[in-house]
Amino acid sequence: MLLTGCVRTQTEYEAVKIPSLPLPESLLADCRIPDIPDEMTYADSVVLNLLMQGALEDCSNQLRAIKNLDTAKAIP
């Protein structure tokens, strides 16, 4: 007859290093900022707003892609 209630087991954990993948250069590129002219017409300001919105969307897409890569690495 075995008395398993008196047996002590000790679990040891070993750290496992996961190689990190380098981020693509396209995700590390600086966000482009449209040139802002000293003088603008109303139409120029509308075009500038569209350019800035496009630049902001590009930066958001870069950040989203980096987050997705980070999340993909975290899942075993």
Side-chain angles (χ1 to χ4, degrees):
M1 176 190 307
L2 289 173
L3 296 176
T4 58
C6 297
V7 176
R8 287 189 132 194
T9 58
Q10 184 174 353
T11 306
E12 291 185 26
Y13 296 98
E14 183 178 329
V16 178
K17 290 188 178 184
I18 300 174
S20 62
L21 299 174
L23 290 175
E25 288 295 321
S26 61
L27 297 180
L28 298 175
D30 289 339
C31 295
R32 62 179 173 82
I33 299 172
D35 292 329
I36 301 173
D38 293 333
E39 295 181 24
M40 286 191 289
T41 63
Y42 179 77
D44 293 336
S45 70
V46 172
V47 171
L48 179 62
N49 284 335
L50 291 173
L51 291 173
M52 290 214 176
Q53 182 179 7
L56 182 60
E57 286 175 5
D58 290 345
C59 281
S60 294
N61 289 336
Q62 280 180 303
L63 290 173
R64 194 173 300 110
I66 291 170
K67 287 178 185 177
N68 288 341
L69 285 174
D70 194 39
T71 303
K73 286 193 299 187
I75 298 173

